[in-house]
Amino acid sequence: MAKKPQATGTSLVIVESPAKARTISRFLGRGFTVEASIGHIRDLPEGAKEVPAELKKEPWAYLGVNVDSDFAPVYIVPKEKAAQVRKLRALLKSATDLYLATDEDREGEAISWHLCEVLQPKVPIRRLVFHEITAEAIHEALRQPREIDENLVRAQETRRIVDRLFGYDVSPLLWRKIRPRLSAGRVQSVAVRLIVERERQRMAFRSAAYWDLAAELTTNSGGRLEAQLVSVASRRVPASRDFDAATGALKDQTLLHLDQPAAEQLAERLLKAVPRVVEIDDKPYTTRPYPPFTTSTLQQEANRKFGFTARHTMQVAQSLYENGHITYMRTDSTNLAAVAVQAARDLVASQYGKEYLSPQPRIYQTKVKNAQEAHEAIRPAGHPFDFPESLRGELSYDQFRLYDLIWKRTIASQMSDSRAHRITITVEADDAVFQVSGKTIEFAGYLRAYVEGADDPEANLAEREVVLPPVQPGESLHWQRLEPKGHTTQPPNRYSEASLTRALEEMGIGRPSTYASIIDTILARQYVFKHKRTNSLVPTWTAFAVCQLLESHLPHLVDYQFTAEMEDELDAISRGELNHLDYLREFYFGNARPGLRDQVAAKIGEIDARDVSRIVIGRPEGQEEIVVRVGRFGPYLEQGSRRASLPDATPPDEITVSAALELLDRTQAAEQPLGYCPKTGKPIFVKSGRFGPYVQRGGAEGDEKPQSASLLRGMKPEEITIEVALQLLSLPRDVGPHPESGEMIVAANGRFGPYIKCGSETRSLPEQISPLDVSVEQAVALLAQPKGGRGRRGSREPLKTFAASPVTGQPVRLMAGRYGPYVTDGETNASLPRGADPEELDFQQALETLKARAEKGPARAPKRASAKSSRSRRSATKKSAASRSKTTKKTAATRKGRSSKAAKKPSAAGKRSRATGKTARFDQPAAPDSTGAKPAE
């Protein structure tokens, strides 16, 4: 129920989030009521069920955009936003005027426009724009309000429509030709192509081995030099870059390619020679400080330094902005306001000394043409800037680290250059030339405050220096060590979140505010997964199939230049330089070339589903070609009539020809029984599936349901004997009766690992005890312990412990529960939202999760069935299968009807929120809801 609005005579200020509302309300007097819209209050329908009933028959209804009438979007107020809209309407009734204080970018401008369209205010409307939430900025915005920028609104709406058309027309093509629940997106698909192309390079890579010599030399004064061989008889020794990645061969055959025997012989010969210094090259150089952070550089640096994902960086940055600690976090600009420059320079002078201050204020210019992003860089809010230490008690751990990073980068941007010397000493021994490099920092300058990629600038300065002992040309040196050193060329690195963000930015694809959601989407759609060891982005075989389809049949949709040009054109709309309707017509209907609609329609019958889902691995000598096929139930290897499942999360570059043959041979061997069950006579197999190896009893023709059992942790398929397989298939097994209760103790291998059960009591088995041989004595001892008191498995030790809850006064803890991670404050337990990463949870997020759960009230206990209802249910089970099927269908239809009635209609206000037209065919496979998947946009 909406709160009763305040007394008349107040101004209503609407922002996006409650946190931002709380901060702004501190700076405004009693004459203002600040309320949050909680993000967008309306949007395009997500599927058929949300399309208004009167529009469902229109041919364009599945898009939510009337492509036949100037691309008029159908906007609906989602059910979860209806209550907030009612609350805002109630507050507006008693307001004297309306201030729209949403964010200053195109998304914020669109939110303000939608608020006007839905609320239809009768009072004066003013748009407030500010890039930091401080008292000074808020009052300045009140003195200089403006109108809603229609160009920004049209730009946001056009971008939203283009993404909808792309996602909802191309995604169904993927569903038909590859498998259901896939999605395509204007930027998403290009990002996937980048990652797939890097993996293709790794798969095509051929390593090369080469050798050189590493020397340790001493001077006459006792100094040490570590030198590397660079040439012999005027022939340069190659480095990794000199080898062809595709063949492993040297690009330049005049280079000296040493193998191990040749390197050993060379070392033996050179040890007889006297090494002498022939040249000392001392070159001074300077480095300049990095510009203040933009959105993308902040995401990249937080990923390098702290391992933050792009999404987590933006969440933490948004909380800092909304609480008044930093300026707006979505920006392409490196510019600082004059007051910010002065604040930074004052801090440099007071904290580091005037010698560390740049002679003149540094002005950083952005190269980005996009007007809507041309704000200030990300910096500490206000002036003077708050010291990080002064906020330590107020901020969470991750908030403090990110604020400290922003503070240091901003300060360093106004510091003096770093001056250093790069020294190279050349040493000759017979006809061989060695070199050793060193570096000395003459004046640290900005490096005292900030070193990119380093947490501790002072410590990093020491690591950056390589001080060489004093030597003179012609001076003789002494061998301490001279040994051959082997090297192997390495394939190109996979993209990390940081390097992918940098690549997209350099290519002009996407915008800072979209990078986090792009990475989230390709991970959620399982086009990409993160490598367990390196955390790099690895494409799945499904990503390969999608890229093959798009590259072969819709190439310009994943063309890098075309996508970058689309960004420029969408930015031109935001500047009022391009008509949005002209752009949409050409994109969808075409002009010089076919538009999106006709291209997709033409390809439906042309694309061979088997061809696009076929990835060639190679052809072993004298054998048939090996390919990976992407089927509806996952990828698998195929060689002629032989097939083998591919384990999930296997990096594609690891499936070489030899590895593929091994998997195929192992699968073929699994078709041969390990032995036969002495009781049933059925064959016992060791098989490998998507979720790992397992044993199976039966499987020959006539067996309806072969019994299977997963291998226990640590077991290897090749080590499984018939005896072990039979033991695994015997699970769950009776261990023996409990000596006190007499109830049977059962050992089993479950979803969460091996465990024992006695009556209603269960205990997980520790790693050192197997369910195959756990004894009654061991089981009784485990059952006597309280749950969770035996160590890591099932332990009640918290995964994280935060500060005390302001509600209960007890520490807030992140726990591992049976059904997933949850947070608790001692009184309320709240599961983490689906898809949330426990590693990235901070104190503020934990409190918000607990608050949301507490507001829902206590969970209702399940109703205990009465004897009468139990009898009724038993009677009901006697109904025929046909009757049950009929009842199920009727229930599903009823639910569907209720869902349709719950869908919201778009606002009648504003001609761009209305759409008309004629037919919709939601029964076609191309319908967005036909698989339950939401296409990307």
Side-chain angles (χ1 to χ4, degrees), residues 55-98:
L55 301 177
K56 284 183 181 289
K57 293 183 179 181
E58 301 298 336
W60 45 262
Y62 73 99
L63 294 169
V65 177
N66 187 347
V67 296
D68 298 328
S69 180
D70 288 342
F71 296 88
V74 176
Y75 287 121
I76 59 116
V77 177
K79 184 166 64 174
E80 62 271 15
K81 293 298 179 71
Q84 193 64 18
V85 170
R86 287 195 297 270
K87 181 178 181 181
L88 293 173
R89 282 195 176 118
L91 290 169
L92 189 58
K93 285 180 181 178
S94 58
T96 57
D97 45 11
L98 173 64

Side-chain angles (χ1 to χ4, degrees), residues 451-701:
V451 178
E452 194 168 58
D455 288 327
D456 186 347
E458 291 289 350
N460 191 265
L461 284 177
E463 294 173 6
R464 283 181 164 230
E465 280 199 303
V466 181
V467 181
L468 302 178
V471 292
Q472 297 298 324
E475 181 178 338
S476 297
L477 304 175
H478 310 282
W479 298 113
Q480 283 295 113
R481 177 176 55 84
L482 182 62
E483 59 184 29
K485 192 174 181 181
H487 307 273
T488 303
T489 57
Q490 299 298 315
N493 291 330
R494 293 188 179 97
Y495 286 106
S496 64
E497 285 202 16
S499 59
L500 179 63
T501 297
R502 184 170 61 251
L504 290 170
E505 183 182 35
E506 288 173 351
M507 298 170 79
I509 295 170
R511 284 296 175 256
S513 58
T514 65
Y515 294 142
S517 61
I518 290 166
I519 293 170
D520 280 354
T521 300
I522 62 178
L523 286 167
R525 297 293 186 188
Q526 297 182 348
Y527 287 135
V528 171
F529 63 92
K530 288 191 176 181
H531 194 282
K532 289 182 179 179
R533 183 172 53 83
T534 63
N535 221 28
S536 55
L537 301 173
V538 185
T540 61
W541 292 109
T542 301
F544 274 74
V546 168
C547 280
Q548 285 190 168
L549 185 152
L550 294 175
E551 289 169 339
S552 301
H553 299 280
L554 298 167
H556 80 283
L557 293 184
V558 286
D559 180 79
Y560 300 134
Q561 184 176 349
F562 173 77
T563 308
E565 288 173 354
M566 285 180 71
E567 292 289 355
D568 290 339
E569 289 166 336
L570 289 166
D571 290 342
I573 294 170
S574 73
R575 298 190 296 270
E577 299 168 2
L578 181 65
N579 181 275
H580 70 285
L581 290 177
D582 292 342
Y583 174 78
L584 286 169
R585 290 188 189 103
E586 182 171 351
F587 172 76
Y588 195 65
F589 295 120
N591 189 1
R593 63 181 174 194
L596 176 70
R597 183 186 64 175
D598 293 340
Q599 289 183 64
V600 173
K603 295 295 180 180
I604 290 175
E606 178 183 321
I607 297 172
D608 183 341
R610 283 183 58 81
D611 186 54
V612 297
S613 298
R614 178 178 179 274
I615 302 105
V616 176
I617 300 299
R619 183 187 295 274
E621 189 174 349
Q623 297 186 37
E624 291 181 273
E625 189 176 58
I626 301 175
V627 300
V628 170
R629 288 199 178 275
V630 179
R632 289 190 169 253
F633 302 104
Y636 59 91
L637 283 167
E638 183 179 80
Q639 185 188 36
S641 61
R642 299 203 299 169
R643 290 185 176 184
S645 295
L646 281 170
D648 285 355
T650 301
D653 74 332
E654 293 182 10
I655 306 299
T656 59
V657 169
S658 59
L661 283 173
E662 184 180 340
L663 278 170
L664 288 162
D665 291 343
R666 190 188 304 163
T667 302
Q668 189 173 13
E671 300 303 319
Q672 301 300 318
L674 190 65
Y676 292 86
C677 176
K679 292 181 180 179
T680 65
K682 293 180 179 180
I684 306 295
F685 300 96
V686 179
K687 292 181 172 287
S688 182
R690 286 184 65 197
F691 306 106
Y694 62 97
V695 293
Q696 178 177 299
R697 176 163 31 212
E701 205 168 314

